[in-house]
Amino acid sequence: MHYDVIVIGAGSMGMAAGYFLSKSGKRTLLLDSFNPPHDKGSHHGDTRIIRHAYGEGEDYVPLALKAQELWHDLEKVTQKQLFLQTGVLNVGNEKSDFIQNIISSSERYSLPLDVLDSSEVNKRWAGITLPNDYIGCFEPTSGVLKCEDCIEAYRELAELHGASILTNSKVKEIVVHDKKVTIKTEEQTFYSDALVVSAGAWSGSLLSMLNLNLPLKPTRKTFAWFDANEHLYNHKDFPAFSFETSQGLYYGFPSINGSGLKVGRHDGGEKINPDESILGFGEVEEDEADLMQFLNDYMPFKQQLKYGKTCMYTLTPDEHFIIDLHPTYSNVAIASGFSGHGFKFSSVVGQILGELIISGKTEQNISPFSINRFIKSL
Ligand SMILES: Cc1cc2nc3c(=O)[nH]c(=O)nc-3n(C[C@H](O)[C@H](O)[C@H](O)COP(=O)(O)OP(=O)(O)OC[C@H]3O[C@@H](n4cnc5c(N)ncnc54)[C@H](O)[C@@H]3O)c2cc1C
């Protein structure tokens, strides 16, 4: 069967791309090793933070705002609540790059942001105990995305627009020749005019079939839910958060409908092979102790571990994304290396991938995410 476009990897980025491509009338096939949304890659665990004033750099702000608009559109079309406007509290030392980028992003793009000293933070949220060398930047318009529901919503719409989604179909071989694409799974061969590679932690091995050896590092990450005093931590009163502390960069979510407080650590983690089984939460001794230490330091209200999970980041050396056309094959678009902060953008990344495939260009500025920055240095 011949398609206009094949998408390898129907996860966060790929499912959104499948929606935008099929909506534009492209005959689209999405192939996935599992049945998305699933808990084998980078998109499980109920929730992801969306922030607009962006600590990782001002370049991301227009994308974050466009992504937020597209999430609202998706909610309207599907009549599902995918976003909770809890606000996000970013904590750190006033002089840190992360905090400075947040403040300058909010000034440059006129984003609402309350900059609070430690005593103001402690007063506003009784569940937080901040030492006086930290400040808090509270962004009231941002919040939490229900990640699996977002993927499910794009999946339903992509199918409605005629996309075919083949699950449990792991791609084994890719050949691109003369603007024609041939894709093989264990059982079948498919043909198309164009290709999107959005395979998350598995992108490295697939892209090497297209002569690209990119410095992508799949990394084991952990996160866990803790029993929480609902009075202090329920999502109507308590925000999602990101804390840059001297011990590490931690993030978390309020208790959503009694789920408990969810906490994870952004920095660190061991390099892994995504094709091998990953140690579960608690199989590494520090998993619980590390998160517990964070809670004891900053939210010390006798939280008890409920359960934890593991997930994968795909890190690039500079922790910025790769969103680009293949340097040799102009009919191949690539989205990878989301370095643990990509989910919020998946709506707009899906749209960008669709535009790249259809017209070879996009209205968004994706120059910071170019593949060439890694090819030159190899
Ligand atoms: C614990 C954790 C917390 C996070 N928190 C946040 C947050 O708060 N905010 C935020 O914005 N981001 C966050 N992220 C990052 C975000 O979730 C990821 O950047 C994003 O999900 C990556 O999307 P992806 O499409 O690249 O990967 P995935 O969503 O994993 O999709 C890749 C898909 O490709 C498929 N695939 C792989 N190989 C093949 C093959 N050979 N053939 C067919 N299919 C294949 C996989 O099965 C998978 O479905 C977090 C990530 C983790 C792990």
Side-chain angles (χ1 to χ4, degrees):
M1 174 91 184
H2 190 98
Y3 293 89
D4 293 329
V5 193
I6 294 176
V7 177
I8 304 179
S12 321
M13 310 300 158
M15 196 68 89
Y19 162 66
F20 284 102
L21 284 162
S22 56
K23 190 170 161 232
S24 308
K26 293 285 171 196
R27 269 174 305 145
T28 305
L29 170 68
L30 295 105
L31 295 168
D32 203 283
S33 309
F34 305 104
N35 187 8
H38 59 74
D39 63 0
K40 314 282 189 298
S42 303
H43 60 245
H44 59 283
D46 303 345
T47 45
R48 293 290 185 268
I49 295 174
I50 178 162
R51 314 171 257 120
H52 311 145
Y54 216 64
E56 289 83 345
E58 285 179 23
D59 283 344
Y60 286 92
V61 178
L63 279 186
L65 294 175
K66 184 68 191 176
Q68 182 76 61
E69 186 189 316
L70 293 174
W71 291 124
H72 286 314
D73 291 350
L74 186 60
E75 286 186 308
K76 266 192 226 136
V77 178
T78 58
Q79 293 291 304
K80 289 181 180 171
Q81 191 185 21
L82 304 170
F83 169 69
L84 298 176
Q85 193 178 332
T86 59
V88 177
L89 175 68
N90 298 282
V91 162
N93 187 285
E94 189 174 3
K95 296 199 173 69
S96 78
D97 288 348
F98 190 71
I99 293 292
Q100 284 303 317
N101 280 335
I102 290 167
I103 294 172
S104 62
S105 294
S106 87
E107 285 165 359
R108 182 163 158 202
Y109 292 95
S110 306
L111 305 172
L113 190 76
D114 300 338
V115 181
L116 308 165
D117 67 25
S118 57
S119 62
E120 288 169 318
V121 169
N122 297 340
K123 196 166 156 209
R124 189 148 165 188
W125 296 283
I128 300 180
T129 308
L130 215 58
N132 57 17
D133 49 342
Y134 289 132
I135 65 162
C137 295
F138 178 65
E139 189 179 41
T141 47
S142 54
V144 177
L145 291 164
K146 299 186 196 170
C147 42
E148 286 96 338
D149 292 354
C150 291
I151 293 179
E152 192 70 57
Y154 273 137
R155 179 174 175 160
E156 278 172 31
L157 289 188
E159 285 180 316
L160 212 66
H161 286 290
S164 305
I165 302 179
L166 274 191
T167 57
N168 304 311
S169 301
K170 182 173 181 170
V171 170
K172 303 274 187 193
E173 198 181 319
I174 310 174
V175 178
V176 181
H177 185 66
D178 268 355
K179 296 248 166 196
K180 295 289 165 213
V181 177
T182 307
I183 302 292
K184 289 189 180 167
T185 64
E186 204 68 75
E187 278 135 24
Q188 285 170 278
T189 302
F190 304 94
Y191 304 94
S192 66
D193 297 330
L195 176 68
V196 172
V197 183
S198 48
W202 292 266
S203 299
S205 54
L206 285 165
L207 292 171
S208 66
M209 296 178 202
L210 294 170
N211 304 321
L212 285 178
N213 292 305
L214 299 176
L216 296 170
K217 181 177 156 195
T219 304
R220 175 183 182 269
K221 304 301 295 182
T222 60
F223 55 99
W225 286 261
F226 294 82
D227 268 325
N229 178 338
E230 287 294 319
H231 182 66
L232 295 177
Y233 298 110
N234 78 81
H235 77 271
K236 300 216 167 80
D237 301 316
F238 197 76
F241 55 88
S242 174
F243 277 50
E244 192 184 53
T245 74
S246 50
Q247 294 81 27
L249 186 52
Y250 297 83
Y251 63 89
F253 301 80
S255 178
I256 297 170
N257 302 324
S259 63
L261 199 57
K262 179 181 150 191
V263 185
R265 181 169 177 170
H266 179 71
D267 62 314
E270 310 78 49
K271 185 177 179 186
I272 44 159
N273 176 348
D275 286 317
E276 291 172 1
S277 72
I278 302 164
L279 291 176
F281 184 86
E283 290 189 67
V284 174
E285 211 179 306
E286 306 86 66
D287 287 348
E288 181 182 350
D290 186 28
L291 301 180
M292 213 38 152
Q293 186 60 53
F294 167 77
L295 288 173
N296 286 340
D297 288 346
Y298 302 100
M299 298 174 191
F301 291 89
K302 294 201 175 76
Q303 339 298 11
Q304 290 285 322
L305 176 71
K306 289 175 81 176
Y307 57 94
K309 291 192 175 177
T310 52
C311 192
M312 291 185 283
Y313 280 4
T314 309
L315 295 172
T316 61
D318 58 12
E319 299 191 12
H320 297 300
F321 311 154
I322 296 172
I323 309 171
D324 206 349
L325 287 168
H326 189 290
T328 314
Y329 308 120
S330 59
N331 55 338
V332 178
I334 293 162
S336 183
F338 287 94
S339 301
H341 62 118
F343 191 88
K344 65 184 76 60
F345 300 101
S346 54
S347 54
V348 70
V349 172
Q351 187 178 58
I352 290 169
L353 291 169
E355 290 168 348
L356 289 176
I357 290 293
I358 290 165
S359 66
K361 54 189 192 323
T362 166
E363 282 180 12
Q364 304 299 330
N365 176 17
I366 55 167
S367 55
F369 312 124
S370 120
I371 272 182
N372 281 334
R373 73 191 199 275
F374 296 124
I375 292 180
K376 277 185 210 137
S377 64
L378 284 173

